[in-house]
Amino acid sequence: MTSNGGFSLTLPILDGKNYDRWRNQMKAIFGFQEVFEVVQHGYQELGEGATEAQRTIYKEAKKRDCKALFLLHQCVDGANYEKINGAETAKQAWDCLEKSYEGMAKIKKVKLQQLRRQYELLQMEDSDSVAEYMTKILALSNQMRSCGKVLKEKSLVEKVLRTLTCKYDHIVVAIEESKNLEELKIEELQASLESHELRLKERNPEKTGDQALQARFTKKPHNQWSKRGNNKWRSNEQGLTGRKPDI
């Protein structure tokens, strides 16, 4: 689909498993197409004796509603299309889909409890990089948001600082003393931690495979020489013990 701005839009498709994400994407598309208000509130039908101005407003509202309904038809799979096929307005179709997925509210509540438990127990592992751990935190945060729980920025910052491994203790203390945690953004925190992580790697370089191989190589000649020396000594000893005594 091509937008009014002339670029191509990839439309999301509701397939029954992605309703929360689909709904958020559709709200953005409706807003971009300037039809979100008519989807939420509908439009008023013309009464008898309508003025010319009222007819003009009605005509524009009807046009926006047709555009929104067309978008909804394009953004659902076959099963969901059958649910809204009889809707005459975009609001009717939108409300129908919302009611169809109301049962997901109970599922979302149970899922949110599980996600909160995972979030509370989450700790940084020794094998995690800062970027990997931040991704875990943000992924859980986004899943909780989709279930209706929005975590504040301060809560995320405090969670990260509280659950880092001990090698970050001194940088955590420095951040807590020098930064206002009420205003600190999660992106700023990640940048500070990654800078510290980089300095740690520079100060503690690991042994390369070439160094280990070289160490093994330098030991071999000594072992082989010792083995040959032992064999030579044993052969000499056998020769001496095998000689007959002179009379």
Side-chain angles (χ1 to χ4, degrees), residues 37-53:
E37 185 176 351
V38 76
V39 171
Q40 279 194 311
H41 306 294
Y43 61 93
Q44 189 173 2
E45 294 288 344
L46 281 176
E48 295 182 3
T51 65
E52 189 63 30

Side-chain angles (χ1 to χ4, degrees), residues 205-219:
E206 295 181 356
K207 221 175 191 181
T208 63
D210 291 340
Q211 290 174 325
L213 183 61
Q214 185 177 4
R216 287 183 58 193
F217 181 75
T218 54
K219 290 180 181 180

Side-chain angles (χ1 to χ4, degrees), residues 174-187:
I175 289 172
E176 289 177 340
E177 291 180 350
S178 62
K179 303 286 187 180
N180 183 353
L181 299 186
E182 296 284 348
E183 300 177 356
L184 183 61
K185 301 295 183 183
I186 196 73
E187 297 84 2

Side-chain angles (χ1 to χ4, degrees), residues 46-60:
L46 281 176
E48 295 182 3
T51 65
E52 189 63 30
Q54 289 174 329
R55 291 179 184 277
T56 301
I57 293 172
Y58 172 80
K59 183 177 179 181
E60 289 298 319

Side-chain angles (χ1 to χ4, degrees), residues 118-183:
Q118 292 177 34
Y119 181 81
E120 291 169 359
L121 295 177
L122 184 63
Q123 300 275 339
M124 186 180 191
E125 302 290 339
D126 290 333
S127 59
D128 287 338
S129 67
V130 170
E132 290 170 341
Y133 185 58
M134 297 296 283
T135 300
K136 291 179 182 180
I137 291 280
L138 294 176
L140 277 175
S141 171
N142 290 335
Q143 291 179 58
M144 291 169 69
R145 182 185 293 110
S146 69
C147 292
K149 175 64 176 179
V150 179
L151 296 176
K152 295 182 179 180
E153 190 98 19
K154 181 185 175 184
S155 176
L156 291 173
V157 168
E158 290 177 343
K159 170 65 178 179
V160 173
L161 294 175
R162 189 172 62 249
T163 56
L164 292 170
T165 56
C166 59
K167 66 181 178 181
Y168 295 97
D169 283 350
H170 52 292
I171 189 64
V172 169
V173 172
I175 289 172
E176 289 177 340
E177 291 180 350
S178 62
K179 303 286 187 180
N180 183 353
L181 299 186
E182 296 284 348
E183 300 177 356

